[in-house]
Amino acid sequence: MAHEMNRSTRTLSANELEALQAPEVKAAREDLAACFQMAAHLEMEEGICNHFSALVPGRTDLFLVNPYGLSFGEVTASSLLICDFDGNVLAGEGRPEATAFYIHAQVHKHCPNATACFHTHMPWATSLTLSDEDPLLYASQSSLKFYGRVAVDTDYNGLALGPEEGVRIAKSMGDADILFMRHHGVMVTAPSIAEAWDDLYFLERAAQVQQLALSSGRKLVPVSNEIARKTAEQIREEDTTSAEMHLASIKRRLRGDVAPFDA
């Protein structure tokens, strides 16, 4: 299902290249790579078809994205590409996958909150896109993290192989952070890589719990709107700090810093 981009590589000046080696860019590469690695570990990837991206720190016109042909578990900090919004590869080996470019470039351009943009076909959340009902029923505490933050794109148009489809998807998000894409998958946007990871993780967990509860055949009892709104506000108060700690945790796990029987 993946398609390679056919674009040229733009040459950068020495000063521009040096800026792309700055410590904050290196840190963003490491954070984004950690998200890929843990997503693979948690089986939130689908072959070589899904993609995470993040604006390059200090830039609003360049973004990091995984190259075409690598599964999530193969992505490293150094393998990530830096692209501009015209599809030129400014740093890294290879090219972006076509739908990754056409979706992510437009979401970054048109959604002010989208410093990070994570798109997956992770199974539990994607399963909620296959019916004509609201995806989240807000019956579990984890689901309340997303109360008031979700949009649904009901106009599936096939593969996103042109900028017009990326623009349409970006507009479908409106002011939402989370987009359920009918017949397709989900999009998570956030002001930081850590917050995108945290939302992606808890979105899949909320979807999993909901689908397991529905499979019991029992009637689900949603939380009242009043309590849902209050709880969502409580969660959001600490979301940034909690997300940063969550990302730090997965980086420790990936480095093997945690000994299971450490006293």
Side-chain angles (χ1 to χ4, degrees):
M1 290 191 292
H3 288 64
E4 185 176 9
M5 282 285 293
N6 293 313
R7 294 294 181 104
S8 61
T9 299
R10 194 177 94 195
T11 302
L12 294 179
S13 68
N15 287 339
E16 288 176 310
L17 283 171
E18 184 178 359
L20 295 182
Q21 304 301 319
E24 57 269 27
V25 178
K26 181 176 182 291
R29 283 181 173 276
E30 292 173 351
D31 286 350
L32 195 56
C35 295
F36 280 109
Q37 293 284 331
M38 187 54 71
H41 177 70
L42 297 175
E43 299 184 345
M44 297 162 75
E45 63 178 346
E46 186 168 73
I48 60 171
C49 296
N50 296 171
H51 9 89
F52 295 170
S53 65
L55 291 176
V56 173
R59 302 291 296 257
T60 58
D61 59 336
L62 304 178
F63 63 100
L64 289 156
V65 68
N66 47 312
Y68 176 67
L70 297 185
S71 64
F72 278 13
E74 297 177 289
V75 175
T76 62
S78 61
S79 69
L80 291 166
L81 306 177
I82 293 180
C83 299
D84 65 17
F85 291 158
D86 294 319
N88 296 301
V89 176
L90 308 183
E93 297 294 328
R95 298 185 185 280
E97 196 271 327
T99 63
F101 171 75
Y102 287 122
I103 294 174
H104 289 244
Q106 299 305 324
V107 172
H108 284 303
K109 283 176 68 175
H110 294 285
C111 300
N113 190 49
T115 297
C117 180
F118 288 11
H119 170 57
T120 76
H121 304 162
M122 53 190 187
W124 293 103
T126 298
S127 72
L128 299 183
T129 72
L130 307 183
S131 71
D132 61 357
E133 298 181 0
D134 290 341
L136 287 177
L137 301 180
Y138 302 111
S140 70
Q141 179 168 285
S142 291
S143 71
L144 300 182
K145 176 177 171 64
F146 307 104
Y147 186 82
R149 302 172 56 204
V150 170
V152 180
D153 173 18
T154 60
D155 299 320
Y156 178 69
N157 285 324
L159 299 184
L161 295 176
E164 65 284 345
E165 181 64 5
V167 171
R168 189 195 66 75
I169 290 170
K171 289 182 177 179
S172 296
M173 294 206 68
D175 296 327
D177 304 311
I178 311 297
L179 183 66
F180 282 88
M181 305 162 77
R182 184 69 52 78
H183 313 297
H184 186 178
V186 294
M187 177 77 71
V188 172
T189 63
S192 70
I193 293 170
E195 288 169 274
W197 167 256
D198 198 58
D199 278 348
L200 191 80
Y201 174 85
F202 281 104
L203 186 66
E204 181 71 341
R205 296 291 285 183
Q208 180 181 16
V209 168
Q210 178 173 303
Q211 294 293 62
L212 288 171
L214 287 170
S215 71
S216 72
R218 297 183 179 185
K219 181 180 178 181
L220 266 63
V221 181
V223 176
S224 71
N225 289 335
E226 179 183 358
I227 297 300
R229 188 176 301 108
K230 174 186 174 182
T231 306
E233 291 172 355
Q234 292 172 327
I235 292 171
R236 295 296 282 169
E237 286 175 1
E238 291 293 325
D239 243 7
T240 300
T241 300
S242 178
E244 291 171 353
M245 295 174 71
H246 189 183
L247 180 56
S249 171
I250 70 168
K251 288 165 72 175
R252 288 193 298 271
R253 290 174 62 187
L254 290 167
R255 286 195 303 259
D257 292 352
V258 182
F261 302 107
D262 195 11

